[in-house]
Amino acid sequence: MKLHKYILLASLGLSLGVGLIGQTSKVQAEDTSSETVINERWGKPTFVAGAGLNQQQLNQTMNELGINQDSVKMEQATGVDLVKYLGYGSGDDSVMLSSVVVNREDQGKGINVKILTPQNITQITADQYKNPLVTAGITDATVKVASVVKVTGESALTGVYKAFEANGETVDPQRAQLAQTELDTTSDVAQSVVNNANEQSQNQNLSDSEKEKADDAYKAQLNQTLVDIKKDLADLKEKQGELATKEDVEKIVNDALAKNNLSQYVSKEDINKLVALGQQYQTTNGVLDKESIQQLDKISGDFKNTVNNLSDQLGKFGDSLKGTIEDNQGFFANLWQQVKDFFSGLTN
């Protein structure tokens, strides 16, 4: 029994040790950041309007964003841009209705997204844009999204890429298309999580407003799950010097879901979608590099703050939600302490 226990702890030690490598990489990256040339601002923010807007809608959109023609650089996102950056669509301008204002920030600021017309962006939250933007290679930017008509919100990323290229910064089309796959996939999984969670919490007697906050908290947990998957894949690649197997990716996905208290809300189909996404992260250049990991560290704090803030507003139900997450994090911390104690005993 003791031997079996030691073997188990040793295996866990190897798995958890991956996290330490990631932390070391993060520290090394931060130590060298002062030697990197800081990106200059673009000057005026860049406004990318949906090509499907008529003049009245364009004026209303600019009003929602608090801008005028003199305060921004003007660009337009067309149906051709949608095909170019996202890899699908007919090229029809009429579907391009959402618009963005993008401001380049200094290095280290991370990505910040604000939806100024949440009543009209019906499917995607501000936080849900952040992971795909990092996947696409977008760094250190403030993005404001608005639409004067109801849209799901998936095509808004096109405007961000158009803004970057309009200012002389190249966007890798392979990464941009993977980012859209990520947004579509996680949007589907998030809806599955929300539906399953709502079914399981019917006895909580939540009001409609409280259910909406709980839904956003679950989505934020899924956003953090994606961060954990990417970072664990990067750590494993650094440790092994080769890509993770499908079995490795599946374990990383399941561990990340458990860590973020989502295992009970996902189906096998959901897990398969996330595993397929994880495999694509590995084979797309740049997605798991150090710069992307640094950007992930920035948005990770946003996701955790979202969960904590929403949980605080949900009373007793929120306490149980947040408490479970903290219990999960404590479990991994305690497990790591056992592993350290085990190896310390071997050397004494």
Side-chain angles (χ1 to χ4, degrees):
M1 288 295 291
K2 283 188 175 180
L3 178 60
H4 177 74
K5 179 179 179 182
Y6 289 163
I7 291 173
L8 175 60
L9 286 171
S11 299
L12 291 169
L14 291 174
S15 298
L16 293 171
V18 169
L20 289 183
I21 295 172
Q23 290 296 319
T24 302
S25 299
K26 177 184 173 185
V27 171
Q28 290 172 343
E30 290 174 347
D31 288 344
T32 59
S33 61
S34 60
E35 300 173 5
T36 306
V37 177
I38 294 177
N39 290 312
E40 293 181 318
R41 294 173 182 269
W42 293 339
K44 292 180 179 180
T46 298
F47 169 52
V48 185
L53 299 174
N54 60 37
Q55 189 60 51
Q56 181 181 359
Q57 290 171 325
L58 177 62
N59 294 339
Q60 187 180 349
T61 299
M62 295 180 72
N63 184 59
E64 292 284 357
L65 289 164
I67 58 174
N68 57 54
Q69 291 187 1
D70 294 330
S71 65
V72 294
K73 299 175 185 176
M74 300 279 291
E75 296 289 339
Q76 192 176 63
T78 67
V80 172
D81 292 324
L82 183 72
V83 175
K84 173 185 175 181
Y85 294 119
L86 307 188
Y88 65 75
S90 64
D92 184 1
D93 286 349
S94 66
V95 301
M96 307 302 290
L97 298 171
S98 58
S99 303
V100 298
V101 171
V102 185
N103 196 44
R104 194 69 159 104
E105 304 291 354
D106 289 339
Q107 186 179 23
K109 291 291 186 180
I111 293 172
N112 184 34
V113 180
K114 300 177 182 178
I115 297 177
L116 300 190
T117 57
Q119 72 280 9
N120 286 332
I121 308 294
T122 62
Q123 190 166 323
I124 310 300
T125 67
D127 278 348
Q128 283 179 300
Y129 285 117
K130 294 176 183 178
N131 261 304
L133 286 171
V134 174
T135 294
I138 301 302
T139 62
D140 304 315
T142 296
V143 179
K144 296 179 181 179
V145 184
S147 177
V148 294
V149 296
K150 288 190 179 297
V151 294
T152 54
E154 290 103 330
S155 67
L157 295 180
T158 304
V160 180
Y161 306 147
K162 186 71 177 278
F164 266 70
E165 293 212 321
N167 286 279
E169 300 198 39
T170 302
V171 176
D172 181 343
Q174 187 177 8
R175 292 185 67 171
Q177 290 177 24
L178 176 55
Q180 192 64 31
T181 299
E182 177 181 61
L183 184 63
D184 293 341
T185 299
T186 53
S187 178
D188 290 343
V189 174
Q191 192 58 53
S192 176
V193 166
V194 166
N195 290 342
N196 291 332
N198 285 341
E199 288 178 8
Q200 294 180 33
S201 62
Q202 286 179 350
N203 60 349
Q204 299 294 335
N205 298 318
L206 298 178
S207 67
D208 290 343
S209 175
E210 289 171 332
K211 286 180 180 178
E212 185 175 344
K213 291 176 182 177
D215 292 350
D216 287 344
Y218 292 127
K219 290 178 182 179
Q221 289 172 338
L222 182 60
N223 295 334
Q224 181 58 39
T225 297
L226 289 183
V227 170
D228 292 337
I229 290 169
K230 292 175 185 176
K231 293 180 70 173
D232 287 348
L233 285 170
D235 289 341
L236 190 61
K237 183 179 179 181
E238 183 176 347
K239 178 189 175 187
Q240 294 184 165
E242 58 186 23
L243 300 183
T245 65
K246 183 179 180 180
E247 291 71 23
D248 291 332
V249 177
E250 187 168 357
K251 182 180 185 307
I252 284 172
V253 167
N254 281 310
D255 287 349
L257 288 166
K259 182 179 178 182
N260 290 282
N261 194 32
L262 294 179
S263 296
Q264 67 271 39
Y265 304 134
V266 292
S267 66
K268 181 60 178 175
E269 182 182 0
D270 296 330
I271 293 172
N272 289 340
K273 289 178 181 179
L274 294 176
V275 170
L277 197 58
Q279 290 177 297
Q280 290 182 75
Y281 291 151
Q282 295 190 104
T283 56
T284 305
N285 288 338
V287 173
L288 302 179
D289 64 14
K290 288 185 177 180
E291 183 176 25
S292 294
I293 297 303
Q294 287 178 318
Q295 294 292 316
L296 291 175
D297 285 335
K298 294 288 184 182
I299 64 175
S300 177
D302 297 338
F303 301 150
K304 291 174 182 177
N305 286 338
T306 296
V307 174
N308 288 334
N309 291 337
L310 290 170
S311 296
D312 287 342
Q313 298 174 46
L314 288 171
K316 185 176 180 180
F317 179 75
D319 289 340
S320 64
L321 176 67
K322 187 163 56 174
T324 306
I325 297 170
E326 290 170 350
D327 288 344
N328 289 343
Q329 293 171 341
F331 167 77
F332 284 103
N334 291 335
L335 193 58
W336 173 238
Q337 186 60 50
Q338 291 180 48
V339 172
K340 289 197 297 182
D341 291 343
F342 168 70
F343 284 108
S344 176
L346 290 180
T347 59
N348 290 336

